[in-house]
């Protein structure tokens, strides 16, 4: 059992408030990812959970026991650091057994636990080496092994993959996902990389400027972002935002007129929307289709096209100078400066009100009701 | 002939002047010392400079000052090394914690190193350790204890104290700098692993300091073998031979007894001794320096 509850956690350095009241519930066996731009407080939050930062106010509970003021070692958490933080003068085996030896466990238990961790992480042949003789990926594995041997209630990861090269990062990401399955453990993972967040998490926590913007499963966040920040932060390439005005509202949705004059009816709840108010239409690159320029009223000029093989990302400029990103098949053959027609899928569009908050979809509203 | 070979040859020509100069710089005094050590050469008896073989060495080694000089040298070097390293580690760990006025404390800790040995010795002799007017005496009297005549009762200990005071800042300087490169995340990881302050010191700080400590030991040994000014200004090697080290013994033979030949022989013995020490030090220390 490892349920973590955070209540109204605040942390400030002098005048600057880093965490502005965090409330969060983490359930047993969950893989939770904190994601956000740099400086959003995600690492500080993780370090507060670990006990490496003193919090200014608020409470942290682990299995209904308050741990806010407890020393790091007594919290029964293990942490993997970005720099791995291996002890440089100790062998791999000693690195992994260090915590157990400090806890005064007997030699046999220690050896069996270290061997078990080495087996899981395939570190067997490296046990007698020093950290300096290991590659980045191997060091990373030792750092993970160091936490595994302790059988902690919760594993904490502080951007563990950011020091690895791209190929290794993908590989370690898979290994981490597998490890989470194997150990069936609770894990909290901090990253600025949304791909890691989307692929690893059961639950993503999006942080911005010391606040939680949204908590939910990756797909929930992707399809139903609560505001422009979350919508823009998740998804690669980014969602495009087109400013417009509400023209009319009806039971079937909100009709907005974009600055380019194009009208679109988005099926969202019209309860809080008044005709004439400013809104933003958000559309993901995969929900725009490029058509012949004569078959659509929404026209744009093709700017740069990035050919990735499997996909082509097209950056287009509408006639009123708005940028839209479009994902097209890899064999797309548009040329720079060409005029094209755009077809937005209204069912997949998001509508954000003047404050940047998402207006709930009708389908969604029905589900909730 | 390949370009690389040509280049190598060229560069050999280019460096040769400085190599030659350095060679002369070493060879001339060394050979003169060797020459002087093999002849009878006393300034009080000019003109009688005949070759006498190893007689000077025999006299030096059987001199009644040689035994004490040797042991005093080793005792002095050993004690000062021990004091500066142990205190140096403890003090630098202490001032590595953040506290108010850290900058000033650090400057104060380093400052004894800027005072020249002669001045240092005079300050200790006249201000601190003076049996009548010294600060130590004042403290002893304040507590009602019998003041100590340091240079008479504990001469070598007094010298050790003075030299340690002089060299402690050097150790602190090196170790303090090294501590700043101790990885923060490693310490945090250890704290999560359950390491308290003592375990942190024992398993992270000390191993991290192994290399700078080796450097401190090596450099200090080189300088401590030739401590002279502190002895000259305070005890003059006495009482008896109690504070005479090899450097002072050589000085007293050359310039107090005017026997240049004997002093040269002593100098060569000191060179050999320094080399023996260097040999063991490099074996001991060099490994930890090259082993990354």
């Amino acid at each position: 059992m490892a349920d973590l509850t955070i209540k109204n956690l605040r942390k400030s350095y002098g005048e600057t408030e880093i965490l502005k009241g965090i409330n969060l519930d983490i359930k047993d066996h969950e893989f939770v990812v904190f994601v956000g731009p740099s400086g959003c407080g995600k690492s500080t939050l993780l370090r507060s959970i670990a006990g490496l930062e003193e919090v200014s106010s608020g409470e942290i509970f682990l299995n209904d026991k308050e741990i806010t003021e407890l020393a790091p070692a007594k919290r029964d958490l293990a942490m993997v650091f970005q720099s791995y933080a291996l002890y440089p003068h100790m062998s791999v085996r000693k690195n992994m057994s260090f915590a157990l030896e400090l806890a005064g466990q007997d030699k046999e238990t220690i050896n069996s636990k270290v061997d078990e961790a080495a087996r899981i992480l395939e570190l067997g042949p490296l046990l007698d080496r020093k950290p300096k003789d290991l590659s980045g990926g191997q060091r990373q594995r030792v750092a993970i092994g160091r936490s595994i041997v302790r059988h902690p209630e919760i594993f904490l990861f502080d951007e563990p993959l950011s020091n690895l090269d791209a190929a290794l990062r993908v590989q370690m990401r898979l290994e981490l996902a597998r490890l989470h399955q194997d150990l069936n453990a609770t894990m909290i993972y901090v990253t600025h990389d949304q791909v890691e967040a989307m692929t690893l998490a059961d639950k993503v926590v999006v942080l911005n400027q010391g606040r939680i913007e949204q908590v939910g499963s990756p797909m929930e966040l992707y399809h139903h972002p609560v505001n422009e920040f979350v919508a823009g932060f998740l998804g690669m390439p980014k969602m495009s935002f087109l400013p417009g005005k509400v023209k009319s509202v009806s039971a079937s949705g909100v009709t907005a007129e974009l600055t380019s004059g194009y009208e679109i009816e988005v099926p969202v709840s019209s309860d809080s929307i008044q005709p004439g108010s400013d809104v933003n239409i958000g559309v993901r690159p995969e929900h725009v289709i490029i058509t012949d320029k004569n078959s659509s009223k929404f026209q744009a000029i093709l700017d740069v096209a990035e050919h990735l093989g499997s996909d082509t990302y097209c950056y287009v400029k509408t006639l009123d100078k708005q940028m839209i990103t479009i994902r097209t098949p890899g064999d797309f053959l548009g040329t720079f400066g060409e005029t094209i027609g755009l077809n937005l899928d209204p069912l997949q569009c998001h509508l954000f009100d003047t404050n940047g908050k998402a207006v709930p979809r009708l389908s969604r509203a029905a589900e909730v009701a | 002939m390949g370009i690389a070979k040509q280049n190598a040859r060229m560069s050999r020509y280019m460096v040769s002047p400085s190599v030659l100069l350095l060679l002369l710089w070493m060879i001339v005094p060394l050979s003169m010392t060797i020459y002087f050590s093999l002849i009878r050469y006393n300034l009080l008896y000019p003109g009688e400079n005949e070759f006498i073989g190893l007689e000077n060495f025999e006299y030096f080694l059987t001199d009644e000052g040689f035994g004490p000089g040797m042991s005093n040298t080793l005792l002095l070097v050993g004690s000062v090394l021990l004091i500066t390293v142990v205190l140096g580690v403890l003090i630098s760990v202490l001032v590595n914690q953040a506290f108010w006025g850290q900058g000033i404390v650090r400057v104060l800790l380093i400052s004894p190193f800027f005072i020249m040995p002669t001045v240092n010795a005079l300050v200790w002799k006249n201000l601190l350790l003076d049996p009548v007017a010294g600060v130590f005496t004042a403290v002893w009297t304040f507590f009602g204890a019998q003041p100590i005549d340091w240079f008479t009762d504990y001469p070598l200990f007094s010298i050790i104290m003075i030299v340690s005071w002089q060299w402690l800042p050097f150790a602190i300087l090196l170790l303090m700098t090294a501590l700043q490169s101790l990885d923060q995340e490693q310490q945090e990881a250890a704290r999560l692993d359950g390491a308290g302050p003592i375990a942190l010191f024992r398993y992270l700080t000390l191993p991290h300091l192994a290399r700078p400590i080796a450097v401190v030991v090596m450099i200090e040994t080189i300088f401590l073998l030739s401590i002279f000014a502190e002895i000259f200004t305070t005890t003059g090697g006495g009482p008896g031979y109690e504070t005479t080290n090899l450097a002072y013994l050589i000085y007293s033979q050359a310039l107090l007894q005017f026997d240049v030949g004997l002093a040269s022989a002593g100098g060569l013995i000191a060179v050999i001794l320094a080399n023996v020490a260097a040999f063991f030090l490099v074996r001991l220390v060099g490994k930890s320096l090259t082993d990354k």
Side-chain angles (χ1 to χ4, degrees):
Chain A
M1 277 293 289
D3 290 322
L4 189 80
T5 308
I6 298 172
K7 281 187 186 156
N8 206 20
L9 194 74
R10 282 169 192 279
K11 164 83 187 168
S12 27
Y13 292 104
E15 292 291 292
T16 4
E17 208 169 25
I18 306 292
L19 299 177
K20 301 167 184 168
I22 301 283
N23 288 292
L24 187 64
D25 272 311
I26 292 168
K27 303 252 171 326
D28 200 17
H29 306 320
E30 253 181 343
F31 199 123
V32 179
V33 175
F34 296 167
V35 69
S38 45
C40 70
K42 53 189 191 296
S43 281
T44 312
L45 179 56
L46 189 79
R47 292 167 57 82
S48 304
I49 295 172
L52 296 172
E53 300 276 354
E54 264 180 56
V55 300
S56 306
S57 70
E59 291 151 328
I60 305 172
F61 294 92
L62 180 62
N63 300 333
D64 299 325
K65 185 182 144 213
E66 190 178 348
I67 57 166
T68 323
E69 302 289 326
L70 216 58
K74 302 230 167 90
R75 298 191 179 200
D76 208 4
L77 309 168
M79 184 153 166
V80 176
F81 291 84
Q82 182 179 353
S83 69
Y84 321 132
L86 300 179
Y87 311 128
H89 48 274
M90 298 183 193
S91 66
V92 169
R93 177 183 286 280
K94 188 92 199 335
N95 258 287
M96 297 209 284
S97 64
F98 185 59
L100 305 177
E101 277 166 26
L102 283 177
Q105 301 199 4
D106 63 277
K107 263 218 169 80
E108 242 162 70
T109 325
I110 293 176
N111 277 340
S112 72
K113 279 181 179 171
V114 170
D115 289 338
E116 168 71 6
R119 189 187 56 76
I120 295 174
L121 296 165
E122 293 160 23
L123 285 171
L126 308 175
L127 278 177
D128 295 318
R129 295 214 199 153
K130 290 270 175 72
K132 62 170 196 257
D133 300 321
L134 303 178
S135 69
Q138 290 167 336
R139 282 179 207 187
Q140 183 64 72
R141 276 212 283 273
V142 176
I144 295 171
R146 201 166 60 179
S147 4
I148 289 180
V149 291
R150 293 178 47 200
H151 297 298
E153 293 275 8
I154 300 181
F155 288 88
L156 307 174
F157 293 91
D158 189 5
E159 308 210 16
L161 305 186
S162 23
N163 283 3
L164 301 176
D165 64 53
L168 205 52
R169 203 178 299 173
V170 174
Q171 189 198 330
M172 285 305 294
R173 207 168 70 206
L174 292 174
E175 285 189 27
L176 277 174
R178 189 185 49 118
L179 197 70
H180 179 235
Q181 290 298 324
D182 290 352
L183 298 176
N184 202 11
T186 313
M187 295 184 170
I188 304 177
Y189 187 104
V190 164
T191 182
H192 59 263
D193 182 348
Q194 51 155 311
V195 179
E196 284 171 24
M198 298 296 277
T199 51
L200 287 170
D202 296 321
K203 181 149 99 184
V204 178
V205 178
V206 181
L207 286 136
N208 185 31
Q209 295 181 347
R211 286 199 179 82
I212 293 183
E213 296 279 354
Q214 191 174 1
V215 180
S217 72
M219 286 306 116
E220 163 79 16
L221 263 57
Y222 187 78
H223 292 299
H224 303 287
V226 294
N227 55 30
E228 278 184 36
F229 177 81
V230 177
F233 190 77
L234 295 178
M236 210 23 222
K238 277 177 70 166
M239 181 186 278
S240 311
F241 296 100
L242 301 166
K245 258 191 169 45
V246 176
K247 203 163 179 211
S248 65
V249 295
S250 71
S252 61
V254 174
T255 306
E257 185 185 9
L258 303 181
T259 44
S260 59
Y262 182 71
E263 280 182 24
I264 183 167
E265 188 187 33
V266 186
V268 295
S269 155
S270 52
D271 299 348
S272 59
I273 295 292
Q274 303 301 322
S277 60
D278 289 319
V279 290
N280 263 337
I281 301 291
V283 58
R284 294 208 182 271
E286 51 268 46
H287 301 139
V288 187
I289 297 160
I290 294 181
T291 61
D292 185 69
K293 66 176 171 183
N294 298 321
S295 65
S296 169
K297 278 188 230 158
F298 195 11
Q299 295 187 341
I301 296 163
L302 189 57
D303 201 38
V304 178
E306 293 176 337
H307 297 274
L308 300 180
S310 59
D311 293 302
T312 302
Y313 297 149
C314 297
Y315 299 88
V316 305
K317 203 183 258 176
T318 63
L319 299 179
D320 60 321
K321 311 283 186 230
Q322 299 294 327
M323 292 301 294
I324 303 181
T325 314
I326 304 168
R327 179 185 219 142
T328 58
D331 53 2
F332 178 74
L333 291 173
T335 50
F336 188 85
E338 190 183 341
T339 306
I340 50 168
L342 298 179
N343 210 340
L344 272 59
D345 181 356
L347 288 174
Q348 301 288 354
C349 282
H350 302 262
L351 195 120
F352 301 98
D353 66 16
T354 357
N355 302 321
K357 287 190 76 169
V359 182
R361 283 166 197 255
L362 281 175
S363 56
R364 181 78 169 168
E367 271 170 40
V368 174
Chain B
M1 195 188 287
I3 295 233
K5 238 181 186 176
Q6 223 171 335
N7 274 346
R9 200 162 166 196
M10 194 63 184
S11 51
R12 229 171 290 152
Y13 287 132
M14 300 298 263
V15 298
S16 56
S18 42
V19 172
L20 277 177
L21 191 73
L22 282 174
L23 200 67
L24 286 176
W25 195 264
M26 184 199 85
I27 280 287
V28 170
L30 183 65
S31 40
M32 277 177 76
T33 312
I34 293 174
Y35 170 67
F36 289 152
S37 70
L38 298 176
I39 58 173
R40 186 189 308 279
Y41 187 8
N42 194 315
L43 298 177
L44 293 178
Y45 309 101
E48 297 176 37
N49 289 348
E50 76 272 26
F51 182 77
I52 51 165
L54 293 176
E55 209 171 293
N56 278 326
F57 290 90
E58 199 189 320
Y59 281 128
F60 187 82
L61 289 175
T62 52
D63 188 286
E64 56 171 344
F66 179 74
M70 199 69 175
S71 63
N72 286 339
T73 305
L74 295 178
L75 210 60
L76 182 64
V77 172
S79 321
V80 174
L81 276 181
L82 193 73
I83 292 171
T84 53
V85 168
V86 171
L87 282 183
V89 169
L90 294 181
I91 292 176
S92 49
V93 167
L94 202 65
V95 298
N96 198 41
Q97 317 289 327
F99 60 91
W100 190 85
Q102 192 180 31
I104 293 172
V105 169
R106 285 187 181 180
V107 171
L108 287 177
L109 278 171
I110 306 300
S111 51
F113 201 49
F114 298 122
I115 298 171
M116 21 181 149
T118 331
V119 177
N120 167 20
L122 283 173
V123 166
W124 275 86
K125 184 184 181 186
N126 298 326
L127 282 178
L128 298 173
L129 298 182
D130 190 279
V132 179
V135 174
F136 280 43
T137 305
V139 173
W140 257 246
T141 346
F142 179 80
F143 287 107
Q146 177 74 33
I148 297 168
D149 186 357
W150 291 92
F151 289 112
T152 313
D153 297 337
Y154 307 102
L156 188 60
F157 179 76
S158 306
I159 301 280
I160 289 171
M161 211 154 52
I162 295 170
V163 177
S164 299
W165 186 80
Q166 175 101 40
W167 281 90
L168 186 57
F170 175 75
I172 292 176
L173 184 69
L174 254 71
L175 298 174
M176 208 162 62
T177 327
L179 272 181
Q180 276 158 18
S181 68
L182 181 55
D183 189 82
Q184 204 64 38
E185 286 198 339
Q186 277 172 29
Q187 300 190 54
E188 290 178 344
R191 274 172 63 199
L192 276 169
D193 273 350
I198 294 171
L200 273 180
F201 179 75
R202 162 76 185 77
Y203 293 107
L204 279 186
T205 313
L206 266 192
H208 178 77
L209 289 181
R211 206 183 298 194
I213 287 176
V215 173
V216 168
V217 168
M218 197 144 90
I219 295 180
E220 281 195 7
T221 308
I222 293 167
F223 283 92
L224 294 177
L225 276 173
S226 57
I227 286 292
F228 174 77
E230 289 85 344
I231 298 172
F232 180 75
T233 359
T234 54
T235 60
Y241 285 110
E242 275 186 49
T243 54
T244 300
N245 67 351
L246 275 187
Y248 195 84
L249 185 67
I250 292 162
Y251 154 80
S252 70
Q253 297 197 328
L255 292 175
L256 299 183
Q257 298 168 27
F258 302 101
D259 195 336
V260 178
L262 192 59
S264 296
L268 284 175
I269 287 170
V271 167
I272 291 167
L273 188 77
N275 274 298
V276 171
F279 177 77
F280 283 112
L281 272 178
V282 168
R283 295 251 327 233
L284 192 83
V285 169
K287 198 172 157 285
S288 82
L289 281 183
T290 50
D291 183 36
K292 277 193 186 168

mmCIF file of all heavy atoms in Angstrom, chain A residues 143-157:
data_model
loop_
_atom_site.group_PDB
_atom_site.id
_atom_site.type_symbol
_atom_site.label_atom_id
_atom_site.label_comp_id
_atom_site.label_asym_id
_atom_site.label_seq_id
_atom_site.Cartn_x
_atom_site.Cartn_y
_atom_site.Cartn_z
ATOM 1 N N ALA A 143 21.519 3.471 -10.723
ATOM 2 C CA ALA A 143 20.764 4.406 -9.891
ATOM 3 C C ALA A 143 19.380 3.847 -9.594
ATOM 4 O O ALA A 143 18.870 3.960 -8.471
ATOM 5 C CB ALA A 143 20.651 5.756 -10.597
ATOM 6 N N ILE A 144 18.769 3.210 -10.585
ATOM 7 C CA ILE A 144 17.454 2.605 -10.357
ATOM 8 C C ILE A 144 17.593 1.411 -9.422
ATOM 9 O O ILE A 144 16.799 1.230 -8.496
ATOM 10 C CB ILE A 144 16.817 2.188 -11.705
ATOM 11 C CG1 ILE A 144 16.536 3.429 -12.543
ATOM 12 C CG2 ILE A 144 15.536 1.412 -11.471
ATOM 13 C CD1 ILE A 144 16.114 3.135 -13.962
ATOM 14 N N GLY A 145 18.678 0.631 -9.649
ATOM 15 C CA GLY A 145 18.922 -0.530 -8.786
ATOM 16 C C GLY A 145 19.084 -0.129 -7.338
ATOM 17 O O GLY A 145 18.612 -0.814 -6.431
ATOM 18 N N ARG A 146 19.719 1.007 -7.118
ATOM 19 C CA ARG A 146 19.924 1.497 -5.772
ATOM 20 C C ARG A 146 18.587 1.752 -5.074
ATOM 21 O O ARG A 146 18.475 1.589 -3.874
ATOM 22 C CB ARG A 146 20.754 2.783 -5.833
ATOM 23 C CG ARG A 146 21.440 3.119 -4.569
ATOM 24 C CD ARG A 146 22.476 4.179 -4.785
ATOM 25 N NE ARG A 146 21.913 5.411 -5.312
ATOM 26 C CZ ARG A 146 22.623 6.509 -5.571
ATOM 27 N NH1 ARG A 146 23.926 6.500 -5.362
ATOM 28 N NH2 ARG A 146 22.070 7.586 -6.034
ATOM 29 N N SER A 147 17.570 2.162 -5.863
ATOM 30 C CA SER A 147 16.271 2.350 -5.219
ATOM 31 C C SER A 147 15.515 1.034 -5.079
ATOM 32 O O SER A 147 14.810 0.831 -4.101
ATOM 33 C CB SER A 147 15.403 3.356 -5.967
ATOM 34 O OG SER A 147 15.982 3.794 -7.128
ATOM 35 N N ILE A 148 15.690 0.145 -6.054
ATOM 36 C CA ILE A 148 14.931 -1.108 -6.006
ATOM 37 C C ILE A 148 15.260 -1.919 -4.762
ATOM 38 O O ILE A 148 14.365 -2.444 -4.100
ATOM 39 C CB ILE A 148 15.208 -1.964 -7.266
ATOM 40 C CG1 ILE A 148 14.560 -1.320 -8.492
ATOM 41 C CG2 ILE A 148 14.662 -3.370 -7.085
ATOM 42 C CD1 ILE A 148 14.771 -2.092 -9.757
ATOM 43 N N VAL A 149 16.556 -1.990 -4.415
ATOM 44 C CA VAL A 149 16.954 -2.854 -3.301
ATOM 45 C C VAL A 149 16.262 -2.463 -2.005
ATOM 46 O O VAL A 149 16.109 -3.285 -1.111
ATOM 47 C CB VAL A 149 18.478 -2.835 -3.064
ATOM 48 C CG1 VAL A 149 19.188 -3.502 -4.207
ATOM 49 C CG2 VAL A 149 18.992 -1.435 -2.851
ATOM 50 N N ARG A 150 15.849 -1.224 -1.918
ATOM 51 C CA ARG A 150 15.254 -0.794 -0.642
ATOM 52 C C ARG A 150 13.782 -1.136 -0.539
ATOM 53 O O ARG A 150 13.177 -0.940 0.495
ATOM 54 C CB ARG A 150 15.439 0.720 -0.486
ATOM 55 C CG ARG A 150 16.891 1.098 -0.323
ATOM 56 C CD ARG A 150 17.048 2.585 -0.233
ATOM 57 N NE ARG A 150 16.085 3.153 0.717
ATOM 58 C CZ ARG A 150 15.734 4.421 0.727
ATOM 59 N NH1 ARG A 150 16.227 5.241 -0.148
ATOM 60 N NH2 ARG A 150 14.880 4.858 1.626
ATOM 61 N N HIS A 151 13.190 -1.623 -1.615
ATOM 62 C CA HIS A 151 11.748 -1.889 -1.643
ATOM 63 C C HIS A 151 10.969 -0.738 -1.039
ATOM 64 O O HIS A 151 10.231 -0.917 -0.061
ATOM 65 C CB HIS A 151 11.418 -3.192 -0.898
ATOM 66 C CG HIS A 151 12.038 -4.396 -1.520
ATOM 67 N ND1 HIS A 151 11.740 -4.817 -2.793
ATOM 68 C CD2 HIS A 151 12.983 -5.246 -1.067
ATOM 69 C CE1 HIS A 151 12.451 -5.883 -3.087
ATOM 70 N NE2 HIS A 151 13.231 -6.161 -2.059
ATOM 71 N N PRO A 152 11.103 0.448 -1.604
ATOM 72 C CA PRO A 152 10.447 1.611 -0.997
ATOM 73 C C PRO A 152 8.950 1.611 -1.293
ATOM 74 O O PRO A 152 8.487 0.896 -2.179
ATOM 75 C CB PRO A 152 11.126 2.786 -1.702
ATOM 76 C CG PRO A 152 11.465 2.249 -3.039
ATOM 77 C CD PRO A 152 11.779 0.801 -2.856
ATOM 78 N N GLU A 153 8.227 2.425 -0.541
ATOM 79 C CA GLU A 153 6.798 2.573 -0.792
ATOM 80 C C GLU A 153 6.576 3.247 -2.140
ATOM 81 O O GLU A 153 5.681 2.880 -2.886
ATOM 82 C CB GLU A 153 6.162 3.437 0.308
ATOM 83 C CG GLU A 153 6.154 2.785 1.684
ATOM 84 C CD GLU A 153 4.955 1.866 1.867
ATOM 85 O OE1 GLU A 153 4.223 1.629 0.895
ATOM 86 O OE2 GLU A 153 4.756 1.391 2.996
ATOM 87 N N ILE A 154 7.394 4.265 -2.399
ATOM 88 C CA ILE A 154 7.222 5.028 -3.639
ATOM 89 C C ILE A 154 8.594 5.294 -4.267
ATOM 90 O O ILE A 154 9.552 5.600 -3.566
ATOM 91 C CB ILE A 154 6.527 6.384 -3.358
ATOM 92 C CG1 ILE A 154 5.155 6.150 -2.734
ATOM 93 C CG2 ILE A 154 6.384 7.189 -4.639
ATOM 94 C CD1 ILE A 154 4.380 7.410 -2.452
ATOM 95 N N PHE A 155 8.675 5.150 -5.564
ATOM 96 C CA PHE A 155 9.883 5.523 -6.306
ATOM 97 C C PHE A 155 9.711 6.943 -6.827
ATOM 98 O O PHE A 155 8.672 7.265 -7.405
ATOM 99 C CB PHE A 155 10.078 4.606 -7.511
ATOM 100 C CG PHE A 155 10.510 3.219 -7.168
ATOM 101 C CD1 PHE A 155 9.581 2.235 -6.895
ATOM 102 C CD2 PHE A 155 11.848 2.890 -7.122
ATOM 103 C CE1 PHE A 155 9.975 0.948 -6.582
ATOM 104 C CE2 PHE A 155 12.259 1.605 -6.817
ATOM 105 C CZ PHE A 155 11.320 0.632 -6.546
ATOM 106 N N LEU A 156 10.747 7.755 -6.638
ATOM 107 C CA LEU A 156 10.699 9.111 -7.183
ATOM 108 C C LEU A 156 11.763 9.225 -8.271
ATOM 109 O O LEU A 156 12.906 8.824 -8.069
ATOM 110 C CB LEU A 156 10.979 10.133 -6.071
ATOM 111 C CG LEU A 156 10.130 10.021 -4.813
ATOM 112 C CD1 LEU A 156 10.639 11.002 -3.759
ATOM 113 C CD2 LEU A 156 8.679 10.292 -5.109
ATOM 114 N N PHE A 157 11.396 9.772 -9.397
ATOM 115 C CA PHE A 157 12.355 9.953 -10.491
ATOM 116 C C PHE A 157 12.419 11.426 -10.846
ATOM 117 O O PHE A 157 11.402 12.027 -11.178
ATOM 118 C CB PHE A 157 11.913 9.182 -11.737
ATOM 119 C CG PHE A 157 11.934 7.693 -11.581
ATOM 120 C CD1 PHE A 157 10.808 7.010 -11.150
ATOM 121 C CD2 PHE A 157 13.074 6.976 -11.868
ATOM 122 C CE1 PHE A 157 10.830 5.630 -11.011
ATOM 123 C CE2 PHE A 157 13.100 5.596 -11.727
ATOM 124 C CZ PHE A 157 11.972 4.922 -11.299
#
